[in-house]
Amino acid sequence: MADAKAPTTGKKRAVGRPRRIETETVVATARRILETEGVAALSMRRVAKEVGTTPMALYHHVRDKDELLMLTLAGTAATVPRPELPADPRDRLLAVSLHMHGTLARMPWVVEVLSLGDLTDEGALWMVEEIIACGIACGLTPEEAVRAYRTIWHCVYGDLAFRHAMERRAADPGRKRHFPDLLADADAAELPHLAALAGRWAELTEDYDVTRQLGAVVDGLLGRAARSR
């Protein structure tokens, strides 16, 4: 007679859905990656691995990477109190532009996300509204006010993107600086102004005043529109 099978003592591993994850956990993980490593390091697969689930399960919470970035951006503007703004529309326009610059300067990862082009934090739209409203109050048409906002945004974003890029490059002490070091060999016949300013380039660029330069941009935009009419 055959021996009876010995009873199985081990328990089978339960098969079921991946463990439940909270959207807040997903967003916090994505933000940490963005803050420490940048947009290039963020992927649905990376986030899924770090929160302990599968990419397929993550897609039940977040549609795609763009939606994840939007969720991560949401609420960032609200973490910075709105400043008291002057009543004069020109001064108000400049104050909002400087507030935008100052806020983003403290959040390099946000600047990198915004570089993707059509992502934003809904809570930051009050700044866009203020700039356009001030432009119209200064005599711009709505179309001119929108274009003025675009110009101001390009100045703000361009300055911050350049600053952050230079900070990253400065962290590598062994790198070779190609510009402005090239100015030392500038041909005075071909590049007379650059050759003359080569020795003062660092002094002149380190003294760059965002408030003064954005003020000049604002005055130029308002003045050109007035002259065209």
Side-chain angles (χ1 to χ4, degrees), residues 39-52:
V39 171
L42 184 70
S43 68
M44 298 290 279
R45 182 176 298 277
R46 168 78 181 276
V47 173
K49 181 180 179 181
E50 296 215 7
V51 300

Side-chain angles (χ1 to χ4, degrees), residues 13-22 48 51-61:
R13 181 175 174 272
V15 178
R17 297 178 180 176
R19 73 180 181 86
R20 177 179 173 79
I21 54 174
E22 299 294 335
V51 300
T53 190
T54 64
M56 187 62 68
L58 187 61
Y59 281 109
H60 290 300
H61 297 266

Side-chain angles (χ1 to χ4, degrees), residues 6-148:
T8 303
T9 56
K11 292 182 179 180
K12 283 189 176 181
R13 181 175 174 272
V15 178
R17 297 178 180 176
R19 73 180 181 86
R20 177 179 173 79
I21 54 174
E22 299 294 335
T23 302
E24 292 80 5
T25 302
V26 173
V27 171
T29 301
R31 181 171 295 185
R32 175 176 54 77
I33 294 170
L34 289 168
E35 289 177 345
T36 58
E37 302 178 54
V39 171
L42 184 70
S43 68
M44 298 290 279
R45 182 176 298 277
R46 168 78 181 276
V47 173
K49 181 180 179 181
E50 296 215 7
V51 300
T53 190
T54 64
M56 187 62 68
L58 187 61
Y59 281 109
H60 290 300
H61 297 266
V62 183
R63 183 178 62 250
D64 52 25
K65 183 175 176 179
D66 271 6
E67 183 175 42
L68 179 58
L69 289 168
M70 285 291 289
L71 289 171
T72 308
L73 280 176
T76 53
T79 63
V80 181
R82 296 191 189 187
E84 290 191 18
L85 299 173
D88 179 77
R90 181 268 177 195
D91 294 342
R92 191 179 184 91
L93 195 163
L94 177 58
V96 174
S97 302
L98 291 171
H99 175 73
M100 181 189 296
H101 184 281
T103 299
L104 291 174
R106 295 189 289 272
M107 303 177 182
W109 69 271
V110 175
V111 177
E112 191 176 1
V113 173
L114 296 179
S115 72
L116 300 177
D118 57 357
L119 303 175
T120 193
D121 174 13
E122 186 176 357
L125 293 181
W126 72 268
M127 290 181 274
V128 183
E129 171 68 20
E130 281 283 358
I131 290 173
I132 291 175
C134 289
I136 292 172
C138 288
L140 302 184
T141 66
E143 294 78 11
E144 289 170 338
V146 170
R147 288 192 284 270

Side-chain angles (χ1 to χ4, degrees), residues 116-198:
L116 300 177
D118 57 357
L119 303 175
T120 193
D121 174 13
E122 186 176 357
L125 293 181
W126 72 268
M127 290 181 274
V128 183
E129 171 68 20
E130 281 283 358
I131 290 173
I132 291 175
C134 289
I136 292 172
C138 288
L140 302 184
T141 66
E143 294 78 11
E144 289 170 338
V146 170
R147 288 192 284 270
Y149 158 71
R150 288 287 303 274
T151 299
I152 291 167
W153 166 242
H154 292 162
C155 291
V156 168
Y157 168 77
D159 179 66
L160 292 172
F162 178 77
R163 287 171 186 256
H164 296 326
M166 293 306 295
E167 287 171 5
R168 288 195 300 269
R169 290 178 66 77
D172 177 10
R175 71 183 179 88
K176 174 179 173 55
R177 293 200 324 166
H178 295 283
F179 187 86
D181 291 358
L182 284 174
L183 295 180
D185 301 321
D187 185 342
E190 183 180 359
L191 306 169
H193 295 94
L194 289 179
L197 293 169

